Amino acid sequence: LVDIVLEFTISDKRDWKSVARVGEFETCLVASLDVQNHILLGASLGGHFELAALAVKQGATALDAALGEACKGGYVPIVDLLIANGACDWDNGLMGACAGNHTELIWRMDQYGASWDYGLIGGCMAGSENLVQLALSKGAINVDTGLAEACREGQYAIAKLMLELGATKLDTALYTACSSGKLGLVHLLLSRGAKQLNMALYAACEKGDRDVV
């Protein structure tokens, strides 16, 4: 079983959800710290409480990263587990909760003191104008990162909103849009004055996206 987990987490670099599916046996956790952390992250992402608890029991340390994954999936019992064992990256938790649009966890991370700039990023990832407006009302100002994340996720309306709110890092957003193959966003950014075409072209060619090229 350790060999199977190693195959999923190190050799093949497959999705962390795969780790959760093979990890129902406690013996698989008798492995390196790196493997245990991968198991914890995969279990948190996939909502597998027992496996996450076993990884924590065996000494996994990636609690803060796992908190973001669990919040994104809306897995409250895993969030509780991680916090009880020392997770305290509320910013990452808020970003994940907003990306997954999980109201209970959003307000919980807010109560813990999370920065709403991370909530803005999560709202942009989710394509939720309501969450974006909430983040802005809470004092979020990092519209440039919001623009980049909106471009990464193909959220045209949110990207346009970030531009209207004053986002200026158009070239970074253009590179991200080209990397993600988002042709509509490429047109939008070019129309707003993005100029660094060489790196954007590199990104589009690397992806093999002839339409963007």
Side-chain angles (χ1 to χ4, degrees):
L1 290 174
V2 174
D3 290 340
I4 294 173
V5 175
L6 285 169
E7 179 187 354
F8 279 116
T9 60
I10 298 176
S11 299
D12 284 352
K13 299 293 185 184
R14 300 182 186 181
D15 192 280
W16 286 338
K17 290 181 181 179
S18 301
V19 181
R21 287 197 292 270
V22 302
E24 62 188 84
F25 302 99
E26 185 168 1
T27 52
C28 78
L29 292 173
V30 183
S32 71
L33 177 61
D34 181 64
V35 171
Q36 290 164 6
N37 282 334
H38 277 75
I39 292 170
L40 176 61
L41 290 164
S44 298
L45 179 64
H48 302 283
F49 178 85
E50 291 184 0
L51 184 56
L54 286 171
V56 171
K57 179 181 177 182
Q58 292 291 329
T61 59
L63 302 175
D64 286 328
L67 179 63
E69 301 291 7
C71 286
K72 185 176 182 179
Y75 302 120
V76 175
I78 297 179
V79 170
D80 291 339
L81 168 73
L82 295 168
I83 292 174
N85 283 275
C88 59
D89 188 343
W90 314 128
D91 294 341
N92 193 37
L94 179 60
M95 182 170 64
C98 287
N101 207 353
H102 298 293
T103 303
E104 176 186 348
L105 290 171
I106 288 171
W107 289 115
R108 188 171 173 184
M109 295 301 114
D110 176 61
Q111 290 174 356
Y112 288 144
S115 166
W116 273 95
D117 273 321
Y118 289 86
L120 176 63
I121 294 169
C124 289
M125 293 167 66
S128 172
E129 185 170 349
N130 288 336
L131 283 176
V132 168
Q133 294 294 352
L134 173 62
L136 293 170
S137 73
K138 290 285 189 175
I141 58 173
N142 195 353
V143 293
D144 284 315
T145 302
L147 174 62
E149 290 302 325
C151 290
R152 190 186 316 280
E153 300 297 330
Q155 304 291 355
Y156 185 94
I158 298 299
K160 190 174 181 181
L161 176 60
M162 293 298 102
L163 290 169
E164 292 171 355
L165 289 170
T168 58
K169 294 185 178 179
L170 305 184
D171 293 326
T172 299
L174 178 63
Y175 178 86
T176 303
C178 289
S179 297
S180 304
K182 311 302 183 185
L183 184 58
L185 284 165
V186 171
H187 286 309
L188 173 65
L189 293 164
L190 290 173
S191 72
R192 296 300 182 94
K195 300 181 183 303
Q196 293 292 336
L197 303 184
N198 288 342
M199 287 305 298
L201 179 62
Y202 171 87
C205 290
E206 182 180 26
K207 185 177 175 60
D209 193 325
R210 296 185 63 180
D211 291 335
V212 175
V213 172

